[in-house]
Amino acid sequence: MENDQFVFHNFLAQQTFSANPTALEIIRRLYVWTDPEALLEFLPGYSRQSVFASIDQLKELGAIIVEDSEAADLEEDFSSRWLWGPLAAAYHFGARDGDFLAAEDADNLLAEQVKFFPSPALFTTNSNPASDVVLPLRDDFPEPFQTMAKRRSNRMLLDEPIALEHLADCFLFSMAITAMIEDPEIVDLPLKMTPSGGGRNPYEAYVCARNIEGLAPGTYHYSALEGTLGVVQATAPAPFPAMLAGQEWTRSAAAVIFLVANFERPMWKYHHSAAYRVTIIEAGHIAQNIMLVATKYGLVANPSCAISLDMVERALGVKSMTQSVIYALVLGVPDKRSHESGS
């Protein structure tokens, strides 16, 4: 409630609006396809002109939709395909394409914020040295731990190519289907080097290649079963800052890998919306392996969720209600002179 009015959010259209009792009555009467003329008998105290003016305003706000319109098709697609209920949907669709601050603006904002609202502690310590168990530490790491210890984010990238073989290994050790669990009664389940809830394998990977040795600039889909790159667009991708919400440091990257979730795969097995959380978590499993492979070869795969989703999904050909770009890995050659590091 706000100012004695109900406030609604249309997460598919990303529109927020308030409604008074009259508007609520109109919305309630239009829960099925209805001739607007039929509303007049339910609203005897209002003129035809005022009722139809309210209907037009509600259409503009996305509160009601017109039969056979684009919005109606979108609603039908959502109703028939999205199985995890409105709460998961409100988060998923409501978080798309928000406003992202430039790095300098974000730093300035935090510099002001910390004056009035200090950062919470970024770690928790144990408080009883007499009973705390001291774990053994070592600094002579064998592999793969040496590679894990070296992994850092570095956003100072050189405008240099990376080898096709290194890109191939990023896919091999994160996405490639290496075996199948046979299940003739339901469906064979793919296995890969990262865990997947219920073996449903919800992710597909795409790469927008700019500077890969032996690979023409373009957009490609990685087939995890075949180990191939299929051409999605044979022209150079858009500048990476445009695809990644204005992040200027991505401009000289060699490529960007996008992880695209196909929610229908886990939805088919898991009807509870907790499976949405499991699906999102899986992107982290895949991304971590990509980052470690890049580190092994002296490269970086900087993770980012600041993505211009509508633009990227058009470029990748991702159109389904139940598919979405979730994560980006920005591949490049780090400037070793830079001391910038991140998580």
Side-chain angles (χ1 to χ4, degrees):
M1 291 286 292
E2 184 176 291
N3 297 326
D4 295 327
Q5 291 189 330
F6 288 98
V7 177
F8 298 87
H9 180 69
N10 181 336
F11 47 76
L12 290 181
Q14 294 192 347
Q15 290 178 291
T16 300
F17 58 91
S18 59
N20 59 29
T22 302
L24 284 176
E25 181 63 16
I26 292 174
I27 294 171
R28 188 176 74 84
R29 295 290 178 180
L30 296 179
Y31 71 98
V32 295
W33 301 124
T34 304
D35 184 344
E37 295 284 351
L39 289 175
L40 298 178
E41 65 178 287
F42 299 108
L43 298 168
Y46 295 87
S47 68
R48 184 179 187 279
Q49 182 179 4
S50 65
V51 170
F52 275 71
S54 295
I55 290 174
D56 289 340
Q57 185 177 24
L58 290 171
K59 289 178 188 176
E60 185 177 340
L61 292 171
I64 58 177
I65 55 179
V66 178
E67 192 173 12
D68 296 326
S69 66
E70 183 178 342
D73 292 341
L74 187 66
E75 181 73 21
E76 174 62 27
D77 194 20
F78 171 78
S79 299
S80 62
R81 299 170 76 96
W82 186 269
L83 305 182
W84 285 335
L87 293 181
Y91 174 79
H92 176 71
F93 295 102
R96 291 178 58 88
D97 282 336
D99 294 327
F100 294 98
L101 290 176
E104 183 178 355
D105 293 336
D107 289 343
N108 292 336
L109 177 64
L110 291 179
E112 288 300 311
Q113 178 174 301
V114 74
K115 297 176 183 177
F116 308 100
F117 182 43
S119 169
L122 301 184
F123 50 83
T124 301
T125 59
N126 295 324
S127 58
N128 194 340
S131 61
D132 293 345
V133 178
V134 179
L135 298 176
L137 298 177
R138 57 186 298 176
D139 54 13
D140 56 337
F141 306 126
E143 286 293 4
F145 307 116
Q146 288 186 18
T147 297
M148 294 170 67
K150 292 176 182 176
R151 196 219 64 79
R152 293 289 186 275
S153 294
N154 187 333
R155 296 180 179 86
M156 299 295 292
L157 302 180
L158 302 176
D159 194 355
E160 295 181 4
I162 64 176
L164 181 60
E165 293 82 0
H166 296 166
L167 175 66
D169 281 354
C170 284
F171 286 129
L172 172 62
F173 292 100
S174 64
M175 291 289 298
I177 295 172
T178 57
M180 300 290 288
I181 298 176
E182 295 185 2
D183 186 346
E185 293 187 1
I186 301 179
V187 64
D188 293 349
L189 297 176
L191 293 179
K192 55 186 182 180
M193 299 186 203
T194 53
S196 182
R200 298 304 297 173
N201 192 38
Y203 280 91
E204 296 292 326
Y206 294 77
V207 60
C208 291
R210 173 182 166 271
N211 199 359
I212 307 291
E213 293 175 348
L215 184 67
T219 300
Y220 301 85
H221 167 255
Y222 173 70
S223 171
L225 181 64
E226 302 161 311
T228 61
L229 292 177
V231 177
V232 177
Q233 289 192 27
T235 55
F240 292 150
M243 304 182 83
L244 295 168
Q247 297 181 86
E248 192 60 34
W249 61 269
T250 66
R251 185 172 297 278
S252 57
V256 180
I257 293 173
F258 291 103
L259 302 182
V260 176
N262 185 330
F263 294 111
E264 285 191 22
R265 297 175 187 175
M267 273 181 184
W268 185 87
K269 181 176 182 178
Y270 300 112
H271 297 178
H272 194 284
S273 59
Y276 175 79
R277 180 176 58 189
V278 173
T279 303
I280 299 300
I281 289 170
E282 185 171 333
H285 303 324
I286 297 168
Q288 185 69 13
N289 277 24
I290 293 173
M291 288 185 273
L292 292 176
V293 172
T295 301
K296 179 66 176 177
Y297 291 126
L299 308 172
V300 289
N302 293 318
S304 180
C305 285
I307 303 167
S308 303
L309 286 173
D310 285 345
M311 177 184 185
V312 171
E313 289 176 0
R314 284 195 302 271
L316 304 184
V318 175
K319 300 177 181 178
S320 172
M321 173 68 64
T322 51
Q323 293 181 16
S324 180
V325 173
I326 300 298
Y327 213 178
L329 285 305
V330 183
L331 294 175
V333 179
D335 186 342
K336 299 297 177 58
R337 298 168 298 176
S338 170
H339 297 292
E340 178 191 359
S341 62
S343 57

